[in-house]
Amino acid sequence: MAIISRGFAGRRSAPGAELPPGQYLTTDFPVLSAGPTPHIPLHRWEFTIDAGGSTLKRWDWKSFRELPTESITVDLHCVTRWSKLRTIWEVVSLDVLLADVKTHLPYAMFHSYGDYTTNLPLKDVVNKQAWIAFKYNGADLEPEHGGPARLLVPHLYLWKSAKWVKGMTLMPHDKPGFWENLGYHMYGDPWKEQRYSEE
Ligand SMILES: Nc1nc2c(c(=O)[nH]1)N[C@H]1C(S)=C(S)[C@@H](COP(=O)(O)O)O[C@H]1N2
Ligand SMILES: [Mo]
């Protein structure tokens, strides 16, 4: 009897496999938004880092765009099962934004214009794992895809990549964000198919 465990299709046991289990490839770029697209004028845009009360860091668009940037190529995996490989973005690394933030708080809640939130462990947004993107395929990021700027955390399902991101709050304990409150997994590893929380 051939029994193949779910983990067998994962990245470690299948070197070179590009698609997480249960995903299909798409070449277009679907738009998935839980509400209307906010339009944020650049002179109003800001990104802040706070520790639940005290603001630790703040950038307006000008100071944000003076930070060092990188070009990255990453794969996107949406929990609704589409994946898009080798997307090209212009980004500022969270490592740059967090460079002189000294904290022992292990979690973060990311906030967006339009009130979307999503939670992430701080260890998952440092060490070249998360970025704030402002260009896609060489052009300014379209509002539908999160422009002026969105979070990108490509090693987790795409709902963690908050569009229209405006800040992060450091937290002592993990707390569910928008989709996590509605039953999506607290962590969301696509290679382990962490789509929804167990009942
Ligand atoms: N602010 C905000 N960010 C969001 C969402 C949203 O509804 N609002 N949807 C998430 C989900 S479920 C997905 S799959 C991706 C979709 O990004 P895209 O529309 O650029 O494909 O954005 C994520 N970030
Ligand atoms: Mo999604």
Side-chain angles (χ1 to χ4, degrees), residues 79-95:
V79 72
T80 63
R81 299 185 181 271
W82 58 267
S83 289
K84 187 172 174 60
L85 302 183
R86 290 179 284 279
T87 60
I88 298 169
W89 305 81
E90 201 75 16
V91 298
V92 172
S93 173
L94 263 286
D95 292 318

Side-chain angles (χ1 to χ4, degrees), residues 32 78-80 159:
L32 279 99
C78 175
V79 72
T80 63
W159 87 76

Side-chain angles (χ1 to χ4, degrees), residues 15-178:
E18 291 183 293
L19 269 189
Q23 297 294 111
Y24 68 86
L25 272 182
T26 183
T27 50
D28 60 4
F29 196 172
V31 171
L32 279 99
S33 306
T37 295
H39 291 265
I40 306 109
L42 292 183
H43 70 270
R44 293 250 187 83
W45 185 91
E46 62 171 26
F47 185 85
T48 57
I49 302 176
D50 72 273
S54 49
T55 301
L56 306 175
K57 288 276 174 184
R58 180 183 177 281
W59 293 268
D60 60 12
W61 188 257
K62 184 170 178 290
S63 54
F64 172 74
R65 289 294 288 104
E66 283 165 2
L67 295 170
T69 65
E70 306 165 46
S71 175
I72 60 166
T73 302
V74 296
D75 300 342
L76 310 178
H77 308 296
C78 175
V79 72
T80 63
R81 299 185 181 271
W82 58 267
S83 289
K84 187 172 174 60
L85 302 183
R86 290 179 284 279
T87 60
I88 298 169
W89 305 81
E90 201 75 16
V91 298
V92 172
S93 173
L94 263 286
D95 292 318
V96 169
L97 299 171
L98 288 164
D100 43 56
V101 174
K102 299 275 172 285
T103 183
H104 295 291
L105 298 172
Y107 294 96
M109 187 68 79
F110 285 79
H111 307 266
S112 296
Y113 291 95
D115 286 346
Y116 187 85
T117 54
T118 192
N119 55 304
L120 287 153
L122 201 58
K123 68 169 176 42
D124 280 86
V125 299
V126 295
N127 295 325
K128 303 179 179 170
Q129 297 183 95
W131 298 272
I132 294 185
F134 54 91
K135 279 180 195 261
Y136 170 71
N137 256 351
D140 289 346
L141 184 56
E142 288 174 35
E144 287 69 23
H145 286 297
R150 78 178 296 165
L151 186 63
L152 272 185
V153 193
H155 70 290
L156 299 176
Y157 280 124
L158 197 55
W159 87 76
K160 296 288 184 183
S161 295
K163 304 197 280 189
W164 318 295
V165 71
K166 71 170 183 191
M168 63 190 285
T169 299
L170 303 172
M171 310 185 294
H173 305 288
D174 203 6
K175 252 184 18 183
F178 177 82

